[in-house]
């Protein structure tokens, strides 16, 4: 989606007090008339998966920043820490000004923004969790070694970029082109035309351990910000039943909350259906009767 009212994104690196360099994609509308948004990706993902959502929000008048989390994309690659509290602490870097009234995270990023809301009540006007935020891996896999074995990523180093592009295009046939490009941006393309994930296996497992340790249901009672849950039913009944139960528990525990489901839908529903997801974020920020 492009139009005369949406500028091209601007890429910047923000140096944090910790020494981490945070890569951020800024989308600045011609007239910034609406609340800004900060967008946070999931595990082994990157800021570009938000391109479709960010472009639409900027076209509506929202200043938008999408970040590469530590270890991912073009941000710094420290060896740690990757526990949830440390990852959530990076949002103070240089967010849209004034501080972001909307903080949206997908998958692991959803849990990260829930942790942020718990630690910094009232900083964000709205918290948005896109197929994440209620993830509690310990409930399904109480043994870390089992969880690590079952959820370790496949080895993709050395795969030709052309092969990966063809596979992604075929397997995600209903995705817009910018979603495919965003997914391909999860990888460094080497001089020989092959790829390697920006997130190394060692760091992937450290992030996964931080997610496995996280229990967001323990935090809901402390969260005062409104929370919008955007969830995907991918057709896998066991996972979907567990996910629905987790969302229902969150809706009961949170002071102000709302849930929206996409079915059938991919886990990266923000890349698959960017217009619909952007409309929900826009409504959460502008409609007084949304929640």
């Amino acid at each position: 989606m492009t139009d005369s009212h949406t500028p091209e994104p601007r890429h910047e690196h923000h140096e944090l007090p910790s020494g981490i360099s945070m890569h951020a994609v800024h989308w600045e509308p011609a007239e910034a008339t609406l609340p800004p948004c900060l967008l946070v990706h999931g595990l082994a993902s990157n800021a570009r998966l938000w391109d479709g959502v960010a472009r639409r929000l900027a076209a509506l008048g929202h200043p938008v920043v999408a970040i590469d989390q530590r270890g991912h994309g073009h941000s710094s690659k420290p060896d740690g820490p990757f526990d949830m509290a440390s990852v959530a602490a990076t949002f103070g870097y240089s967010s849209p000004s004034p501080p972001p009234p909307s903080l949206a995270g997908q998958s692991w990023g959803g849990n990260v923004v829930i942790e942020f809301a718990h630690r910094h009540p009232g900083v964000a006007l709205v918290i948005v969790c896109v197929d994440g935020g209620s993830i509690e891996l310990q409930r399904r896999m109480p043994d870390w070694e089992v969880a690590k074995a079952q959820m370790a990523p496949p080895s993709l180093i050395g795969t030709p970029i052309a092969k990966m592009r063809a596979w992604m295009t075929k397997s995600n046939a209903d995705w817009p082109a910018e979603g495919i490009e965003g997914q391909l941006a999860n990888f460094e393309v080497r001089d020989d035309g092959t790829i390697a994930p920006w997130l190394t296996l060692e760091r992937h497992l450290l992030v996964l351990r931080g997610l496995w340790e996280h229990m967001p249901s323990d935090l809901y009672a402390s969260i005062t910000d409104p929370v919008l849950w955007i969830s995907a039913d991918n057709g896998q009944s066991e996972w979907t039943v567990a996910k629905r139960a987790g969302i229902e528990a969150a809706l009961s525990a949170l002071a102000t909350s709302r849930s929206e489901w996409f079915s059938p839908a991919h886990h990266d529903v923000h890349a698959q259906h960017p217009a619909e997801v952007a409309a929900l974020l826009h409504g959460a920020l502008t409609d007084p009767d949304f929640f």
Side-chain angles (χ1 to χ4, degrees):
M1 174 184 173
T2 58
D3 58 47
S4 60
H5 302 292
T6 309
E8 288 301 305
R10 185 181 78 255
H11 295 256
E12 292 188 358
H13 280 83
H14 301 267
E15 302 300 323
L16 307 184
S18 63
I20 290 175
S21 176
M22 182 71 68
H23 172 245
V25 185
H26 293 252
W27 299 81
E28 296 179 356
E31 293 186 39
T33 58
L34 296 175
C37 305
L38 180 61
L39 308 178
V40 183
H41 64 75
L43 173 58
S45 186
N46 77 101
R48 294 286 311 282
L49 262 292
W50 285 105
D51 277 3
V53 173
R55 189 183 300 279
R56 287 163 173 82
L57 288 172
L60 290 167
H62 298 274
V64 182
V65 176
I67 63 168
D68 282 335
Q69 298 207 65
R70 63 173 67 190
H72 293 72
H74 297 280
S75 290
S76 293
K77 309 292 189 293
D79 292 331
F82 288 99
D83 61 281
M84 201 62 69
S86 297
V87 174
T90 63
F91 294 150
Y93 74 101
S94 181
S95 53
S97 182
S102 172
L103 187 57
Q106 188 267 342
S107 190
W108 165 58
N111 282 52
V112 173
V113 300
I114 285 291
E115 179 72 22
F116 181 90
H118 159 68
R119 292 180 175 273
H120 305 282
V123 171
L125 180 61
V126 174
I127 298 292
V128 182
C129 298
V130 180
D131 218 39
S134 64
I135 299 172
E136 295 186 338
L137 296 177
Q138 286 192 55
R139 295 193 184 278
R140 295 177 58 85
M141 294 170 282
D143 184 279
W144 161 242
E145 293 301 323
V146 172
K148 181 172 69 171
Q150 290 188 7
M151 302 192 70
S155 178
L156 298 173
I157 296 175
T159 302
I161 181 63
K163 181 178 180 180
M164 180 58 67
R165 182 186 297 276
W167 179 82
M168 287 183 176
T169 301
K170 181 179 180 180
S171 60
N172 301 315
D174 62 337
W175 285 32
E178 61 193 347
I180 300 295
E181 293 304 314
Q183 200 171 48
L184 287 168
N186 292 333
F187 306 100
E188 172 190 8
V189 181
R190 297 174 166 179
D191 291 340
D192 63 356
T194 65
I195 63 170
W198 288 112
L199 181 67
T200 64
L201 174 60
E202 294 77 16
R203 295 186 181 94
H204 188 119
L205 294 177
L206 288 172
V207 175
L208 183 62
R209 178 62 185 258
L211 178 60
W212 179 82
E213 292 174 347
H214 197 231
M215 299 297 286
S217 61
D218 293 340
L219 311 180
Y220 296 150
S222 69
I223 294 175
T224 57
D225 306 324
V227 180
L228 169 63
W229 303 90
I230 300 175
S231 303
D233 178 351
N234 66 0
Q236 297 178 359
S237 59
E238 184 179 356
W239 277 98
T240 299
V241 167
K243 191 187 304 182
R244 287 188 182 275
I247 296 298
E248 289 302 317
L251 293 171
S252 298
L254 289 160
T256 306
S257 191
R258 172 174 167 175
S259 175
E260 296 288 339
W261 282 83
F262 286 74
S263 180
H266 193 278
H267 181 49
D268 288 315
V269 63
H270 59 317
Q272 182 184 22
H273 298 295
E276 293 85 348
V277 171
L280 285 169
L281 268 67
H282 174 67
L285 286 168
T286 60
D287 182 355
D289 298 319
F290 186 86
F291 288 98

